[in-house]
Amino acid sequence: MSHSPASKGKNGQTPSELPLAEIEAIISGSHANPFAVLGPHKSGSGIIARCFIPGAENVTVTALDGTVLGELSLRHEAGFFEGPVTLTSLKPLRYRARRGDAEWALTDPYSFGPVLGPMDDYFVREGSHLRLFDKMGAHPLKHEGAEGFHFAVWAPNAKRVSVVGDFNNWDGRRHVMRLRVDTGIWEIFAPDVLPGSTYKFEIIGKDGVALPLKADPYARRAELRPQTASLTAPELVQEWEDEAHRKFWAECDHRRQPISIYEVHAGSWRKRPDGTFLSWDELAAELIPYVADMGFTHIEFLPITEHPFDPSWGYQTTGLYAPTARFGEPEGFARFVNGCHKVGIGVILDWVPAHFPTDAHGLREFDGTALYEHADPRQGFHPDWNTAIYNFGRIEVLSYLINNALYWAEKFHLDGLRVDAVASMLYLDYSRKEGEWVPNEYGGRENLEAVRFLQKLNSASYASHAGLMTIAEESTSWPKVSHPVHEGGLGFGFKWNMGFMHDTLSYLKREPVHRKFHHNELTFGLIYAYSENFVLPLSHDEVVHGKGSLIAKMAGDDWQKFANLRAYYAFMWGYPGKKLLFMGQEFAQWSEWSEARSLDWNLLHYHPHEGVRRLVRDLNFTYRSKPALHARDCEGEGFEWLIADDSDNSVYAWLRKAPGEKPVAVITNFTPVYRENYRVPLPKEGRWREILNTDAEIYGGSGKGNGGRVQAVSAGGTINADVTLPPLATIILEPEA
């Protein structure tokens, strides 16, 4: 032990010296408030500096500009130094530490004031802070003359929180954080930390026990799995070139625009020859031109937020603010979105605010208590997925999630959020037996806290970003999912129509001879088609876990399977509602999707598969170019049955309409019977062009049809056309004039 040679007081130490008990507390990492001890402090008429630098034998104090301010005395061989400095006021300090021939410099984090202020505390406590993504986590900052990173984390029940990383040898004693008692947020400015540094939070629970190191909930970048540390990242810089794209969607009515979504798992759409992931830039070079050529209006990515386990497809995320490291740095994703917008393609993120995985480095029992999740497993644990459920009744948790939605919209210019597993959020008894759930305050099974969260989420999202659309994956008949909040709705822009997906696939699995007995499976959907703003999804959920691909679900031999699928796609593109198709289904991939391998692109060498791809492409451009097919997708005035009750022939026909536009007739024959002179009522005399026929040879069909047109004639006060219906096919007609 070494002491400075000043005269001793009655307690055996110099007036400026720190009691040895406090030194021991600093060295052990158990001191309640290192900011009250370390750094520069007034002492009598002068200023004294104290620092803890493990391994140092001598320390020189300097100002930030290098001016020498004094030499400190070693008070403890573990590396605790103390001594007077020639300062007239408290200022940030630097230290030159030496041990033998080694010398290194570091800036004292305890010589800087806080970064967060009282207004941050106020808005955090009120739950109205909508810029938390600029305050929490790790942000580069020039603070009081020094460059570094500011760290902030919410852990109100912790006894001590430190930021640890490669910049301090993962030593939790070096950067113990300052507690803001009003909010439970811990913060510290760590000078000299560079972008790309790994870090986590070392948290000591209120019982004094150290928790597993925690990744930053607000981290904007993370290590590639299986590593789990967060990474300090510079503020995102992207030269956006999408003003026209964003202006258009901010000013239009989304319900009246063509929206055809290509659902993509970024890790398996295509892979490099060695089986590794494409980077965002490589994906941009291939995926964007493909989607533009195919005529889709949007790409919807399965979750790309950081997640530890590939087979979760991203739905069990440990880093909601970090684009996964699998495809490169966050700037790469920003470039991808910018590239999409330049060619008019929107980008939607599959977003998971319902639950999170229980990995030790994640959110579960973050500060030693149930912080982000409910403490009661009947409310806080999801039996289906073995995950933790967010506590939607806690203001800080709502702020964390709502700020995340705003973060993606602002920083990455996302066009939409598809919110996963909404039904699991809305019902307290979701996947639970009697006695395994806690009723709400009125004794019901509705999760009122989740309802308020979703309403607040949608209100904040649409208020902040007019061009954003939110889409609910909600599988029940919960009312008003896509109705405005002020009308008692949840406030989503759209809702997935799970009923359409299930009913139509159930019908098409049946042999055609049996379909007459299930005719209503395809007519029933029109009873509720306008109760919500619907997206018709043929999603990843239908082509995994033993369900097979869409082509494999179709009834019949191989020819009939392809014909059924082509007829089905045109039926869907002619049906009211926006469209969504999962990757690989646009060319009728036979095998079930797996995240572990690329799509079977080689199938495009075969005419039936290439034919389906060409059909989907033509359907997209037909849907987009004909306002009758999209402008009233969400309004009943845009649909009229022409034939709804011909169950014997399994024929369906309807009219799609839009004010001031040509109507379009959609006619489907779901049997393999070739029908000539089939009478279809039409609203207008004259010639109608056959603008699409799924039985065309170019699509892999038999080439039967109407020679490009039919004639509608008036007889007995009704207008009809005698139409040729190809087998297992859909035709689309439009009046020539």
Side-chain angles (χ1 to χ4, degrees):
M1 188 78 63
S2 173
H3 299 276
S4 57
S7 61
K8 303 291 178 66
K10 64 180 180 180
N11 59 358
Q13 60 195 42
T14 63
S16 61
E17 284 183 342
L18 196 68
L20 293 179
E22 288 207 65
I23 295 175
E24 295 285 355
I26 292 291
I27 291 167
S28 66
S30 61
H31 199 286
N33 182 16
F35 280 91
V37 174
L38 298 174
H41 293 274
K42 291 183 178 179
S43 176
S45 60
I47 292 177
I48 191 167
R50 303 186 189 99
C51 64
F52 173 48
I53 306 176
E57 293 176 336
N58 304 97
V59 170
T60 300
V61 187
T62 74
L64 295 183
D65 63 7
T67 303
V68 175
L69 303 176
E71 296 284 337
L72 301 188
S73 299
L74 180 65
R75 289 289 310 279
H76 196 291
E77 62 268 14
F80 188 90
F81 292 83
E82 182 179 47
V85 290
T86 54
L87 280 175
T88 56
S89 61
L90 300 180
K91 292 182 179 180
L93 303 178
R94 280 206 174 106
Y95 304 120
R96 291 206 302 266
R98 295 175 299 281
R99 182 179 186 87
D101 294 333
E103 181 174 320
W104 65 101
L106 63 160
T107 309
D108 186 354
Y110 296 98
S111 61
F112 294 87
V115 173
L116 300 180
M119 291 308 296
D120 292 309
D121 295 340
Y122 174 80
F123 290 125
V124 165
R125 293 192 64 177
E126 190 181 60
S128 60
H129 205 311
L130 300 181
R131 306 292 310 176
L132 283 178
F133 47 81
D134 287 334
K135 303 288 186 177
M136 302 294 290
H139 291 274
L141 187 68
K142 185 171 185 179
H143 184 48
E144 297 179 7
E147 301 280 356
F149 269 79
H150 174 248
F151 296 89
V153 64
W154 178 55
N157 303 302
K159 187 174 182 179
R160 189 256 282 173
V161 179
S162 302
V163 59
V164 294
D166 53 12
F167 51 85
N168 64 11
N169 295 318
W170 299 88
D171 186 341
R173 303 170 299 171
R174 302 279 296 279
H175 288 86
V176 179
M177 304 173 78
R178 173 191 281 114
L179 174 64
R180 303 187 70 83
V181 293
D182 287 345
T183 59
I185 291 173
W186 300 73
E187 68 160 333
I188 193 170
F189 173 69
D192 304 331
V193 174
L194 299 174
S197 301
T198 55
Y199 73 97
K200 285 185 176 180
F201 293 112
E202 181 180 283
I203 300 176
I204 307 298
K206 57 185 176 182
D207 56 2
V209 176
L211 303 176
L213 295 183
K214 294 290 188 178
D216 182 358
Y218 284 87
R220 294 171 295 123
R221 191 174 178 185
E223 286 187 299
L224 177 62
R225 54 91 178 101
Q227 305 304 317
T228 58
S230 304
L231 290 172
T232 56
E235 297 299 343
L236 186 72
V237 175
Q238 168 62 42
E239 186 177 338
W240 293 101
E241 303 164 280
D242 59 355
E243 183 179 354
H245 174 89
R246 301 189 86 203
K247 184 175 187 292
F248 173 82
W249 285 103
E251 294 176 353
C252 75
D253 182 344
H254 289 59
R255 300 172 308 151
R256 294 182 171 180
Q257 294 299 319
I259 294 177
S260 181
I261 302 166
Y262 188 52
E263 189 186 30
V264 173
H265 177 258
S268 61
W269 182 73
R270 275 201 175 118
K271 290 181 180 285
R272 295 174 182 144
D274 63 359
T276 57
F277 298 121
L278 298 179
S279 69
W280 283 119
D281 292 328
E282 290 169 323
L283 268 169
E286 297 190 44
L287 179 57
I288 295 174
Y290 179 77
V291 170
D293 178 70
M294 286 295 294
F296 289 100
T297 63
H298 291 74
I299 297 170
E300 179 180 309
F301 282 113
L302 271 61
I304 60 152
T305 48
E306 195 55 78
H307 54 282
F309 188 49
D310 287 10
S312 80
W313 313 328
Y315 286 97
Q316 295 196 12
T317 182
T318 51
L320 268 183
Y321 284 79
T324 176
R326 289 165 175 82
F327 316 117
E329 77 288 350
E331 289 78 6
F333 181 57
R335 290 192 297 271
F336 182 93
V337 176
N338 187 57
C340 286
H341 287 180
K342 287 168 68 175
V343 295
I345 297 170
V347 181
I348 301 167
L349 176 61
D350 205 334
W351 189 60
V352 191
H355 61 118
F356 58 89
T358 57
D359 297 65
H361 70 283
L363 296 180
R364 191 181 190 191
E365 295 189 344
F366 189 80
D367 65 355
T369 68
L371 193 61
Y372 285 87
E373 72 275 26
H374 274 282
D376 188 332
R378 294 174 298 171
Q379 298 170 283
F381 184 74
H382 206 300
D384 284 358
W385 304 311
N386 291 321
T387 52
I389 300 171
Y390 285 105
N391 183 348
F392 301 113
R394 192 157 194 169
I395 286 176
E396 296 90 347
V397 175
L398 298 195
S399 294
Y400 171 72
L401 294 171
I402 291 170
N403 270 270
N404 185 249
L406 301 179
Y407 167 80
W408 287 102
E410 177 177 320
K411 302 295 187 182
F412 292 95
H413 287 202
L414 284 190
D415 299 88
L417 294 172
R418 178 267 193 187
V419 183
D420 180 62
V422 171
S424 76
M425 301 163 68
L426 291 174
Y427 296 97
L428 295 165
D429 62 346
Y430 187 90
S431 287
R432 297 178 191 274
K433 299 174 184 175
E434 190 65 35
E436 295 179 349
W437 57 282
V438 180
N440 64 31
E441 58 194 280
Y442 303 108
R445 65 193 189 108
E446 299 82 11
N447 189 335
L448 302 180
E449 292 174 344
V451 170
R452 287 190 284 268
F453 159 63
L454 293 171
Q455 290 176 326
K456 189 173 181 179
L457 163 73
N458 286 310
S459 297
S461 297
Y462 280 100
S464 301
H465 302 281
L468 188 72
M469 61 177 167
T470 59
I471 307 167
E473 188 227 0
E474 202 286 307
S475 55
T476 74
S477 56
W478 186 282
K480 295 188 173 183
V481 171
S482 59
H483 289 228
V485 171
H486 66 265
E487 293 180 3
L490 295 182
F492 285 95
F494 294 94
K495 171 182 171 173
W496 270 22
N497 190 336
M498 312 293 273
F500 171 88
M501 179 170 65
H502 293 143
D503 290 348
T504 54
L505 289 175
S506 171
Y507 180 88
L508 285 155
K509 289 176 184 176
R510 305 182 191 281
E511 293 295 333
V513 69
H514 301 303
R515 289 175 178 171
K516 67 174 69 177
F517 304 111
H518 302 275
H519 195 74
N520 67 321
E521 284 188 333
L522 297 196
T523 58
F524 175 70
L526 269 302
I527 294 175
Y528 63 85
Y530 302 104
S531 61
E532 302 278 3
N533 302 325
F534 278 124
V535 173
L536 311 180
L538 293 177
S539 75
H540 65 280
D541 281 329
E542 297 309 305
V543 295
V544 291
H545 298 325
K547 296 179 182 177
S549 61
L550 293 184
I551 183 71
K553 297 179 196 292
M554 300 296 111
D557 58 25
D558 281 2
W559 190 92
Q560 290 183 336
K561 285 181 185 294
F562 277 99
N564 268 310
L565 187 64
R566 293 192 304 267
Y568 179 32
Y569 283 165
F571 178 95
M572 172 174 159
W573 260 252
Y575 194 94
K578 310 309 178 186
K579 326 300 176 191
L580 179 142
L581 187 64
F582 184 59
M583 65 180 199
Q585 309 315 303
E586 79 276 14
F587 59 82
Q589 175 166 302
W590 278 110
S591 60
E592 184 175 271
W593 170 61
S594 168
E595 84 287 338
R597 62 176 184 268
S598 173
L599 298 180
D600 297 331
W601 293 102
N602 61 301
L603 292 177
L604 289 174
H605 294 300
Y606 302 95
H607 183 58
H609 294 278
E610 169 61 12
V612 173
R613 188 199 68 80
R614 295 183 74 154
L615 171 65
V616 171
R617 180 183 188 276
D618 289 351
L619 283 170
N620 275 333
F621 284 109
T622 301
Y623 168 69
R624 292 171 65 171
S625 64
K626 307 296 180 184
L629 287 174
H630 65 253
R632 292 297 182 270
D633 263 335
C634 305
E635 298 160 82
E637 66 187 70
F639 181 92
E640 178 185 336
W641 278 114
L642 299 175
I643 299 170
D645 55 0
D646 188 2
S647 57
D648 287 340
N649 294 311
S650 297
V651 171
Y652 302 82
W654 62 75
L655 204 66
R656 295 297 306 280
K657 302 176 289 183
E661 303 289 345
K662 289 182 181 180
V664 170
V666 181
I667 308 159
T668 301
N669 173 18
F670 274 129
T671 69
V673 179
Y674 172 60
R675 306 186 192 282
E676 292 185 296
N677 299 316
Y678 185 92
R679 183 151 294 178
V680 177
L682 292 170
K684 185 177 182 181
E685 289 184 87
R687 285 201 298 188
W688 287 60
R689 289 191 307 118
E690 189 178 71
I691 58 176
L692 192 137
N693 178 352
T694 65
D695 194 51
E697 290 180 357
I698 195 173
Y699 303 139
S702 62
K704 296 179 173 62
N706 295 276
R709 58 183 52 83
V710 301
Q711 188 74 28
V713 297
S714 178
T718 60
I719 301 171
N720 298 284
D722 291 331
V723 177
T724 295
L725 298 184
L728 295 172
T730 296
I731 62 173
I732 300 178
L733 307 175
E734 178 188 64
E736 285 193 350

